[in-house]
Amino acid sequence: MAKYTHMLPKLMYNGVSISDITHRIDLLKSVRKYEGLYYSALIEETMTPERLAEEVYGDQDLWWVICVINKVIDPFYDWVKRETEVHAYVDMAYDDRYGIHHWEDTTYEHYDEDSPENDRVPITNLAWELHKNDEKRQIMLLKPKHIPRVEAEFAEWMRQTKTQIQE
């Protein structure tokens, strides 16, 4: 099958034809609704979609399947980061990495301020971003035997998509 970027519709930009990488799909409902087609995996912070696709499907060009299933639009922000990258992101996004992002009670409910009883735990900007990043390590993977069907349906969908013009 052709590489993902070769199947994408073309976009005319400044007189040059390029692949429209912003053109995204939502995995077909006929595939998504069957939980038995997927399994959960915990990935390391150093894993990339390409490496994972090579490991799971034997083809790094199937990275897009992993991204579509896990609703990863921007791999720089939607995919798991290394801890050092999280620290750099926090320093860029917040004035104070140790500033309080929110408070939590014993049931992990979020609050904008502490209670009069001072029984809520302050969560720093850094702790919050590390927590969100850690959640991204848990992903869903399509069982390999279903890949040919997804590829075929995606290729057909792309054949029906029109070229767009960007001025």
Side-chain angles (χ1 to χ4, degrees), residues 52-153:
L52 187 58
E54 179 69 36
E55 188 176 295
V56 175
Y57 304 127
D59 186 351
Q60 70 178 0
D61 289 331
L62 292 172
W63 62 269
W64 61 272
V65 173
I66 295 168
C67 289
V68 167
I69 290 169
N70 291 283
K71 298 185 183 225
V72 173
I73 304 299
D74 183 344
F76 294 109
Y77 293 101
D78 299 339
W79 191 256
V80 66
K81 299 176 190 69
R82 289 179 172 88
E83 188 169 328
T84 57
E85 294 169 329
V86 175
H87 284 255
Y89 171 76
V90 168
D91 289 341
M92 179 186 71
Y94 300 95
D95 291 333
D96 179 6
R97 74 165 50 174
Y98 300 110
I100 296 173
H101 188 274
H102 65 272
W103 280 263
E104 291 181 359
D105 62 17
T106 56
T107 63
Y108 302 106
E109 182 131 0
H110 296 198
Y111 299 91
D112 292 333
E113 55 189 38
D114 198 0
S115 69
E117 295 82 22
N118 294 322
D119 60 349
R120 296 178 184 155
V121 176
I123 306 299
T124 66
N125 295 320
L126 179 60
W128 177 242
E129 293 297 335
L130 286 169
H131 169 75
K132 288 189 339 184
N133 189 61
D134 198 44
E135 286 181 331
K136 293 176 188 172
R137 294 183 61 226
Q138 188 72 43
I139 64 168
M140 297 301 293
L141 294 170
L142 186 66
K143 292 179 180 174
K145 68 181 180 179
H146 302 295
I147 290 294
R149 176 178 173 195
V150 170
E151 283 185 296
E153 290 185 13

